[in-house]
Amino acid sequence: MRPESARQELRVKTLKIDGRDLAGREDQTILNVARENHIRIPTLCQFEGLTNYGSCRLCLVEIKGVAKLLTSCTTYIWEGMEVTTNSERLVQYRRMLLELFFAERNHICSICVANRNCALQGLALELGITHIRYPYLYPGLGVDSTHDKFVLDHNRCILCTRCIRACSEIEGANTLGMKRRGVNDQIITDLDQPWGTSPTCTSCGKCVNVCPVGAIYERGMSIAEGRREHTFLPLLRIMRGER
Ligand code: FES
């Protein structure tokens, strides 16, 4: 938590987002300011109450004078910046990113617990994705169903790390982690052991609630039953006196 004196030193920056004149504090990201002003930017790995990680790239925006696209969830505002959140170029990139997510693992909505409660599926609908232009990889990944309460299906995972961040930043258990690199990344529990044998997991279920897809869910859930509770993390932060 920032000391009171540090908070008071934060300066206000003025900027334009999609042609609108706006202002924000210097410790705010473009995404923060956009949301405060009801400007929608698609996100997947970002989750209110967790640190921003910048892995999914869905929240890319154009900034005048900057050659490359930047992620709005990890880019802090600066004085005079001019941001475009929704151009044809950005839509094309977002579609491509989503298609690559679908091609990378085995996302078959019709038999998924998160069907109709899935951020990946929701964004695909929003951006009008009707087919995938890239070859499916069809990896043969495992399902860890050794835990008493939860199941981890690596086939559905989009490697957003929301579960890892919730486990370490909110619960403080540090049970979940990541192994390997790139397309071979995989969520692990403790030292890559079956989840049910983990001595650190508190079975709190925060990982289940922050998972945007059907990768982590409660045992016994069937197709389309994977509803998530999304409001508790920001509340926990407020109760702890964090910003
Ligand atoms: Fe910004 Fe994922 S939401 S990179």
Side-chain angles (χ1 to χ4, degrees):
M1 181 177 152
R2 267 171 202 275
E4 201 57 38
S5 55
R7 279 193 205 183
Q8 286 164 358
E9 285 167 16
L10 290 172
R11 282 186 295 248
V12 169
K13 306 281 180 188
T14 58
L15 68 158
K16 270 188 201 290
I17 302 184
D18 295 341
R20 285 173 59 188
D21 288 312
L22 302 171
R25 295 187 315 271
E26 62 184 343
D27 68 338
Q28 287 187 295
T29 62
I30 298 169
L31 183 65
N32 291 147
V33 177
R35 282 187 175 162
E36 274 184 6
N37 291 283
H38 311 291
I39 296 170
R40 167 140 173 84
I41 300 176
T43 57
L44 208 44
C45 68
Q46 191 274 343
F47 192 92
E48 206 60 42
L50 300 177
T51 56
N52 294 324
Y53 183 60
S55 69
C56 76
R57 321 306 283 177
L58 258 292
C59 69
L60 286 172
V61 291
E62 295 171 358
I63 300 172
K64 192 173 176 187
V66 177
K68 59 182 186 178
L69 303 175
L70 296 180
T71 49
S72 59
C73 70
T74 56
T75 305
Y76 290 91
I77 60 170
W78 64 75
E79 183 61 37
M81 81 191 315
E82 293 185 32
V83 182
T84 301
T85 69
N86 197 8
S87 64
E88 186 54 35
R89 178 185 178 212
L90 288 169
V91 170
Q92 290 308 327
Y93 271 113
R94 287 172 187 152
R95 281 202 183 121
M96 180 187 74
L97 288 164
L98 286 173
E99 288 179 45
L100 289 170
F101 277 119
F102 277 102
E104 191 172 274
R105 298 215 172 165
N106 305 304
H107 298 284
I108 304 162
C109 303
S110 59
I111 52 165
C112 180
V113 293
N115 190 9
R116 304 177 69 184
N117 293 297
C118 172
L120 184 64
Q121 184 187 42
L123 284 171
L125 287 170
E126 181 182 330
L127 292 171
I129 291 175
T130 54
H131 61 282
I132 309 300
R133 291 168 289 171
Y134 307 103
Y136 285 95
L137 299 184
Y138 294 125
L141 301 176
V143 178
D144 185 343
S145 57
T146 58
H147 195 285
D148 284 347
K149 294 172 70 177
F150 312 125
V151 178
L152 169 56
D153 184 348
H154 296 287
N155 295 286
R156 310 285 196 207
C157 182
I158 58 168
L159 304 167
C160 66
T161 75
R162 282 190 193 183
C163 57
I164 297 175
R165 284 175 281 154
C167 185
S168 91
E169 295 171 15
I170 306 296
E171 182 62 8
N174 288 303
T175 302
L176 299 175
M178 185 88 84
K179 71 174 178 182
R180 305 206 185 109
R181 283 275 187 274
V183 74
N184 296 315
D185 271 357
Q186 210 161 301
I187 301 292
I188 55 170
T189 48
D190 293 315
L191 297 174
D192 197 10
Q193 61 199 74
W195 198 356
T197 67
S198 167
T200 60
C201 177
T202 61
S203 301
C204 69
K206 292 184 177 65
C207 52
V208 176
N209 281 307
V210 298
C211 180
V213 290
I216 302 183
Y217 55 93
E218 287 177 26
R219 269 187 108 81
M221 274 183 176
S222 186
I223 297 164
E225 288 184 348
R227 290 234 161 75
R228 319 289 189 181
E229 165 52 59
H230 273 174
T231 52
F232 70 103
L233 285 193
L235 290 177
L236 280 178
R237 280 254 142 111
I238 291 166
M239 283 157 65
R240 289 177 179 179
E242 297 174 22
R243 300 189 61 199

